[in-house]
mmCIF file of all heavy atoms in Angstrom:
data_model
loop_
_atom_site.group_PDB
_atom_site.id
_atom_site.type_symbol
_atom_site.label_atom_id
_atom_site.label_comp_id
_atom_site.label_asym_id
_atom_site.label_seq_id
_atom_site.Cartn_x
_atom_site.Cartn_y
_atom_site.Cartn_z
ATOM 1 N N ASN B 21 -1.492 -26.068 -16.019
ATOM 2 C CA ASN B 21 -2.126 -27.380 -15.989
ATOM 3 C C ASN B 21 -1.621 -28.221 -14.819
ATOM 4 O O ASN B 21 -0.480 -28.670 -14.803
ATOM 5 C CB ASN B 21 -1.847 -28.085 -17.322
ATOM 6 C CG ASN B 21 -2.709 -29.323 -17.490
ATOM 7 O OD1 ASN B 21 -3.597 -29.580 -16.686
ATOM 8 N ND2 ASN B 21 -2.429 -30.089 -18.532
ATOM 9 N N GLU B 22 -2.472 -28.390 -13.829
ATOM 10 C CA GLU B 22 -2.187 -29.279 -12.691
ATOM 11 C C GLU B 22 -0.785 -29.097 -12.123
ATOM 12 O O GLU B 22 0.022 -30.025 -12.096
ATOM 13 C CB GLU B 22 -2.416 -30.731 -13.104
ATOM 14 C CG GLU B 22 -3.840 -30.951 -13.612
ATOM 15 C CD GLU B 22 -4.229 -32.421 -13.589
ATOM 16 O OE1 GLU B 22 -3.324 -33.273 -13.518
ATOM 17 O OE2 GLU B 22 -5.442 -32.699 -13.609
ATOM 18 N N ILE B 23 -0.532 -27.891 -11.696
ATOM 19 C CA ILE B 23 0.782 -27.619 -11.109
ATOM 20 C C ILE B 23 0.800 -28.097 -9.661
ATOM 21 O O ILE B 23 -0.094 -27.768 -8.890
ATOM 22 C CB ILE B 23 1.068 -26.106 -11.109
ATOM 23 C CG1 ILE B 23 0.834 -25.529 -12.488
ATOM 24 C CG2 ILE B 23 2.477 -25.809 -10.670
ATOM 25 C CD1 ILE B 23 1.031 -24.045 -12.520
ATOM 26 N N THR B 24 1.814 -28.873 -9.330
ATOM 27 C CA THR B 24 1.952 -29.353 -7.958
ATOM 28 C C THR B 24 3.386 -29.129 -7.490
ATOM 29 O O THR B 24 4.324 -29.588 -8.143
ATOM 30 C CB THR B 24 1.627 -30.865 -7.887
ATOM 31 O OG1 THR B 24 0.317 -31.053 -8.409
ATOM 32 C CG2 THR B 24 1.682 -31.365 -6.457
ATOM 33 N N PHE B 25 3.553 -28.381 -6.430
ATOM 34 C CA PHE B 25 4.898 -28.210 -5.870
ATOM 35 C C PHE B 25 4.818 -27.638 -4.457
ATOM 36 O O PHE B 25 3.757 -27.195 -4.014
ATOM 37 C CB PHE B 25 5.776 -27.322 -6.761
ATOM 38 C CG PHE B 25 5.281 -25.914 -6.916
ATOM 39 C CD1 PHE B 25 5.673 -24.908 -6.023
ATOM 40 C CD2 PHE B 25 4.424 -25.586 -7.953
ATOM 41 C CE1 PHE B 25 5.225 -23.616 -6.177
ATOM 42 C CE2 PHE B 25 3.960 -24.282 -8.107
ATOM 43 C CZ PHE B 25 4.359 -23.299 -7.217
ATOM 44 N N ASP B 26 5.954 -27.690 -3.753
ATOM 45 C CA ASP B 26 6.058 -27.098 -2.417
ATOM 46 C C ASP B 26 7.232 -26.139 -2.394
ATOM 47 O O ASP B 26 8.248 -26.390 -3.024
ATOM 48 C CB ASP B 26 6.310 -28.179 -1.369
ATOM 49 C CG ASP B 26 5.075 -29.031 -1.153
ATOM 50 O OD1 ASP B 26 4.074 -28.477 -0.665
ATOM 51 O OD2 ASP B 26 5.105 -30.237 -1.507
ATOM 52 N N VAL B 27 7.049 -25.068 -1.655
ATOM 53 C CA VAL B 27 8.155 -24.140 -1.459
ATOM 54 C C VAL B 27 8.360 -24.008 0.045
ATOM 55 O O VAL B 27 7.390 -23.933 0.803
ATOM 56 C CB VAL B 27 7.860 -22.761 -2.082
ATOM 57 C CG1 VAL B 27 9.022 -21.808 -1.853
ATOM 58 C CG2 VAL B 27 7.581 -22.897 -3.572
ATOM 59 N N TYR B 28 9.641 -24.040 0.474
ATOM 60 C CA TYR B 28 9.925 -24.028 1.914
ATOM 61 C C TYR B 28 10.357 -22.663 2.411
ATOM 62 O O TYR B 28 10.824 -21.824 1.642
ATOM 63 C CB TYR B 28 10.986 -25.088 2.236
ATOM 64 C CG TYR B 28 10.646 -26.433 1.660
ATOM 65 C CD1 TYR B 28 11.413 -26.988 0.633
ATOM 66 C CD2 TYR B 28 9.505 -27.111 2.110
ATOM 67 C CE1 TYR B 28 11.070 -28.215 0.086
ATOM 68 C CE2 TYR B 28 9.162 -28.340 1.554
ATOM 69 C CZ TYR B 28 9.942 -28.885 0.543
ATOM 70 O OH TYR B 28 9.585 -30.087 -0.004
ATOM 71 N N ARG B 29 10.231 -22.513 3.685
ATOM 72 C CA ARG B 29 10.527 -21.231 4.315
ATOM 73 C C ARG B 29 11.978 -20.796 4.103
ATOM 74 O O ARG B 29 12.898 -21.604 4.203
ATOM 75 C CB ARG B 29 10.257 -21.319 5.813
ATOM 76 C CG ARG B 29 10.035 -20.001 6.487
ATOM 77 C CD ARG B 29 9.638 -20.235 7.931
ATOM 78 N NE ARG B 29 10.732 -19.827 8.814
ATOM 79 C CZ ARG B 29 10.946 -18.556 9.163
ATOM 80 N NH1 ARG B 29 10.156 -17.613 8.728
ATOM 81 N NH2 ARG B 29 11.950 -18.248 9.949
ATOM 82 N N GLY B 30 12.166 -19.514 3.769
ATOM 83 C CA GLY B 30 13.506 -18.956 3.625
ATOM 84 C C GLY B 30 14.199 -19.328 2.328
ATOM 85 O O GLY B 30 15.350 -18.976 2.095
ATOM 86 N N GLU B 31 13.498 -20.037 1.488
ATOM 87 C CA GLU B 31 14.087 -20.526 0.253
ATOM 88 C C GLU B 31 13.973 -19.472 -0.854
ATOM 89 O O GLU B 31 13.055 -18.667 -0.857
ATOM 90 C CB GLU B 31 13.300 -21.784 -0.134
ATOM 91 C CG GLU B 31 13.669 -22.418 -1.426
ATOM 92 C CD GLU B 31 12.954 -23.761 -1.621
ATOM 93 O OE1 GLU B 31 11.717 -23.840 -1.417
ATOM 94 O OE2 GLU B 31 13.627 -24.714 -2.000
ATOM 95 N N ILE B 32 14.936 -19.501 -1.801
ATOM 96 C CA ILE B 32 14.760 -18.711 -3.026
ATOM 97 C C ILE B 32 14.354 -19.700 -4.109
ATOM 98 O O ILE B 32 15.134 -20.571 -4.500
ATOM 99 C CB ILE B 32 16.058 -17.977 -3.424
ATOM 100 C CG1 ILE B 32 16.512 -17.057 -2.288
ATOM 101 C CG2 ILE B 32 15.831 -17.177 -4.700
ATOM 102 C CD1 ILE B 32 17.842 -16.377 -2.555
ATOM 103 N N PHE B 33 13.118 -19.557 -4.528
ATOM 104 C CA PHE B 33 12.552 -20.527 -5.449
ATOM 105 C C PHE B 33 12.441 -19.899 -6.834
ATOM 106 O O PHE B 33 11.712 -18.926 -7.040
ATOM 107 C CB PHE B 33 11.167 -20.951 -4.942
ATOM 108 C CG PHE B 33 10.557 -22.104 -5.687
ATOM 109 C CD1 PHE B 33 10.895 -23.415 -5.372
ATOM 110 C CD2 PHE B 33 9.639 -21.868 -6.722
ATOM 111 C CE1 PHE B 33 10.319 -24.484 -6.057
ATOM 112 C CE2 PHE B 33 9.071 -22.940 -7.405
ATOM 113 C CZ PHE B 33 9.415 -24.242 -7.070
ATOM 114 N N GLY B 34 13.206 -20.440 -7.787
ATOM 115 C CA GLY B 34 13.183 -19.891 -9.147
ATOM 116 C C GLY B 34 12.077 -20.528 -9.960
ATOM 117 O O GLY B 34 11.900 -21.745 -9.936
ATOM 118 N N PHE B 35 11.340 -19.713 -10.670
ATOM 119 C CA PHE B 35 10.210 -20.205 -11.443
ATOM 120 C C PHE B 35 10.516 -19.873 -12.897
ATOM 121 O O PHE B 35 10.371 -18.734 -13.329
ATOM 122 C CB PHE B 35 8.950 -19.483 -10.947
ATOM 123 C CG PHE B 35 7.678 -20.239 -11.156
ATOM 124 C CD1 PHE B 35 7.525 -21.521 -10.658
ATOM 125 C CD2 PHE B 35 6.614 -19.656 -11.827
ATOM 126 C CE1 PHE B 35 6.331 -22.212 -10.827
ATOM 127 C CE2 PHE B 35 5.425 -20.339 -11.991
ATOM 128 C CZ PHE B 35 5.277 -21.620 -11.497
ATOM 129 N N LEU B 36 10.983 -20.890 -13.633
ATOM 130 C CA LEU B 36 11.474 -20.631 -14.974
ATOM 131 C C LEU B 36 10.503 -21.127 -16.038
ATOM 132 O O LEU B 36 9.666 -21.983 -15.783
ATOM 133 C CB LEU B 36 12.834 -21.325 -15.176
ATOM 134 C CG LEU B 36 14.088 -20.559 -14.762
ATOM 135 C CD1 LEU B 36 14.002 -20.116 -13.320
ATOM 136 C CD2 LEU B 36 15.326 -21.421 -14.975
ATOM 137 N N GLY B 37 10.697 -20.626 -17.227
ATOM 138 C CA GLY B 37 9.862 -21.082 -18.339
ATOM 139 C C GLY B 37 9.951 -20.084 -19.459
ATOM 140 O O GLY B 37 10.282 -18.924 -19.242
#
Side-chain angles (χ1 to χ4, degrees):
Chain B
N21 192 7
E22 303 199 342
I23 309 177
T24 304
F25 63 89
D26 289 295
V27 180
Y28 310 113
R29 201 174 109 81
E31 176 172 48
I32 302 175
F33 189 83
F35 206 56
L36 273 55

